[in-house]
Amino acid sequence: MLDIQKIRADFPILSQTVNGKPLVYFDNGATSQKPQVVIDAEVKYYNEINANIHRGVHTLSQLATDAYEVSREKVKNHINAKHAHEVLFTSGTTHGINLVANGFASILKAGDEVVVSSLEHHSNIVPWQMLCEKTGAVLRVIPIDENGELIISEFDALLSEKTKIVTVNHISNALGVINPIKYIIDKAHAVGAAVLIDGAQAVPHLKPDVQELDCDFYAFSGHKMCGPTGTGILYGKEAWLNKLPPYQGGGEMIKEVTFEKTTYADLPHKFEAGTPNIAGGIVLGTAIDYLNSVGFENIQAYEHELLAHATKRLNEIEGIRIYGNTKNKASVVSFNIDGIHPYDVGSIIDKLGIAVRTGHHCAQPIMNFFCIPGTIRASFSFYNTKEEIDQMVDAVKKAQTMLS
């Protein structure tokens, strides 16, 4: 049982007002708020151990390096990676996906196939389109049904010996649908394909076990899980990371440089060129510690209550349609009201202190499938309350009255 008021007190931003109203923050799918312990950890780094890492013999450099590598170990344990060197620090999910797509440019040939799903964020579509244009590979797409669920029989039919990589999200950012990724991974492996999972929307709500899933790559962002912006992780199986070429060249990722030839550093440094977001990497570990102190079983149970309450209350509004009608979903409700543009609703309820996301959510193919310009998306976190949901519903009703 979570003590929600105690948890909310950990997040200083939640106590402020917006447009003269108490802030109700339901844009967690875009970025989560940060607890004081995370904010303090960032300040502590710059106040006490700010230095570059891995290269200095002086004390501050050693302290910063140790803290950075401790954070890598925390991530390794959190996702149950086999080795710490399978954990790469990135600037976010987009960086991780592009790293893998860039590496596959040396693997794919004309006629090979890349499989994505219709539920993907643009960051898990565009890099693969670019890769296919570069290599002559073909992009295949798993379709969805009216409930926003992947049509798995169609996925099965897409797979063949031509399939070289399958890349899908764990949870849809636009609809909150949780995909059957274990099934997808096993089926892809049966035809010899690699699998990348976009876990950006999953890691705030659950702990992925990458060894149990047996995925080849798993990418996620720190800023959606109470960590700093500009931080992320790419997990990759050791064998795959050794096979892929470096994504960027520069300092840190080398073993020896001459004008005749350069040899590359061992994992993970082969993929970590240049000075990283040191403070962010360290503080990401603090955010993971915080989430684990709350407990992911507690988070999932409570957020399920929020989702059920929001779904029930929103369905009381005449003319509403919720997209992503499936039992297996995260705490996201994406909806529209008949005859009203989602942007107009979002603008009005913002004046009442309610922060939601409106638009296509960087998932235009989903909106095209439903023939809509976008949706109003309310995405909940464990620090939100049912009372806030009621405030949102009242605000949506007011907006509907004003705009009808």
Side-chain angles (χ1 to χ4, degrees):
M1 191 73 174
L2 296 181
D3 185 342
I4 301 303
Q5 294 310 312
K6 182 176 182 296
I7 288 171
R8 286 179 63 83
D10 292 338
F11 293 80
I13 200 169
L14 298 181
S15 62
Q16 71 171 306
T17 59
V18 172
N19 295 320
K21 304 289 184 181
L23 170 65
V24 174
Y25 185 80
F26 288 161
D27 195 20
N28 296 287
T31 196
S32 65
Q33 296 304 338
K34 320 305 174 193
Q36 189 66 52
V37 65
V38 165
I39 298 167
D40 290 345
E42 183 115 8
V43 173
K44 180 179 174 66
Y45 167 79
Y46 285 114
N47 275 343
E48 298 181 13
I49 60 169
N50 178 40
N52 217 321
I53 56 174
H54 296 141
R55 308 172 212 178
V57 297
H58 61 83
T59 300
L60 290 187
S61 180
Q62 292 297 316
L63 289 171
T65 298
D66 290 347
Y68 196 72
E69 293 306 323
V70 164
S71 186
R72 193 192 306 272
E73 192 70 26
K74 287 179 181 179
V75 175
K76 175 244 179 189
N77 292 335
H78 182 73
I79 65 174
N80 193 31
K82 190 173 183 179
H83 306 291
H85 58 253
E86 294 177 317
V87 173
L88 310 181
F89 283 108
T90 67
S91 63
T93 307
T94 300
H95 180 182
I97 293 170
N98 276 274
L99 188 158
V100 177
N102 179 80
F104 266 76
S106 64
I107 295 174
L108 297 187
K109 62 183 186 300
D112 287 341
E113 294 182 354
V114 176
V115 174
V116 301
S117 91
S118 296
L119 287 176
E120 300 312 304
H121 188 281
H122 295 163
S123 63
N124 204 26
I125 298 174
V126 178
W128 304 107
Q129 288 178 324
M130 295 168 68
L131 175 65
C132 288
E133 289 173 2
K134 183 184 298 185
T135 62
V138 179
L139 192 71
R140 301 294 189 192
V141 183
I142 312 167
I144 59 174
D145 61 22
E146 287 293 325
N147 292 322
E149 295 182 303
L150 296 179
I151 303 175
I152 292 300
S153 61
E154 296 283 351
F155 164 67
D156 293 343
L158 285 175
L159 294 174
S160 73
E161 71 280 355
K162 293 181 180 180
T163 311
K164 300 306 176 185
I165 186 165
V166 175
T167 175
V168 299
N169 56 37
H170 197 157
I171 296 178
S172 164
N173 75 301
L175 304 179
V177 175
I178 302 175
N179 289 318
I181 61 168
K182 180 57 179 168
Y183 178 89
I184 290 170
I185 292 164
D186 290 345
K187 293 290 285 189
H189 283 170
V191 298
V195 182
L196 182 149
I197 302 297
D198 170 357
Q201 295 295 327
V203 290
H205 310 293
L206 54 85
K207 289 178 71 166
D209 185 326
V210 294
Q211 289 194 73
E212 182 180 341
L213 290 171
D214 196 30
C215 55
D216 301 290
F217 305 97
Y218 195 100
F220 60 94
S221 301
H223 72 97
K224 297 182 192 292
M225 56 185 306
C226 298
T229 55
T231 64
I233 296 294
L234 174 67
Y235 158 80
K237 285 181 179 175
E238 180 179 41
W240 270 111
L241 294 179
N242 281 327
K243 185 183 299 186
L244 298 185
Y247 178 45
Q248 295 176 312
E252 186 70 16
M253 51 74 67
I254 57 89
K255 187 171 289 182
E256 184 177 359
V257 175
T258 69
F259 284 112
E260 289 71 39
K261 183 174 177 60
T262 293
T263 54
Y264 305 128
D266 296 330
L267 298 175
H269 308 299
K270 170 184 169 185
F271 292 103
E272 295 182 346
T275 298
N277 181 356
I278 302 167
I282 293 169
V283 177
L284 178 55
T286 304
I288 287 173
D289 287 343
Y290 178 81
L291 288 173
N292 281 315
S293 73
V294 176
F296 278 87
E297 288 187 2
N298 296 328
I299 289 171
Q300 285 180 291
Y302 180 68
E303 290 180 347
H304 180 74
E305 290 181 22
L306 294 178
L307 175 63
H309 184 72
T311 303
K312 177 178 180 295
R313 289 301 321 277
L314 284 167
N315 276 324
E316 295 170 3
I317 302 174
E318 186 176 349
I320 202 160
R321 178 177 177 184
I322 294 176
Y323 300 89
N325 290 298
T326 173
K327 292 180 179 179
N328 197 22
K329 64 183 291 188
S331 53
V332 174
V333 181
S334 225
F335 63 95
N336 278 331
I337 302 171
D338 287 347
I340 301 176
H341 197 284
Y343 177 84
D344 295 335
V345 177
S347 297
I348 288 175
I349 69 174
D350 173 62
K351 303 301 182 186
L352 300 171
I354 316 290
V356 296
R357 179 57 58 102
T358 62
H360 54 65
H361 317 301
C362 295
Q364 285 182 307
I366 294 175
M367 306 306 148
N368 293 339
F369 174 81
F370 288 111
C371 300
I372 54 177
T375 68
I376 305 154
R377 185 189 69 183
S379 47
F380 313 118
S381 185
F382 61 91
Y383 46 69
N384 292 129
T385 67
K386 292 177 183 177
E387 291 75 19
E388 288 181 316
I389 290 170
D390 292 338
Q391 292 174 48
M392 178 191 71
V393 171
D394 290 343
V396 170
K397 289 179 178 177
K398 289 179 182 177
Q400 183 183 35
T401 299
M402 293 174 64
L403 295 168
S404 296

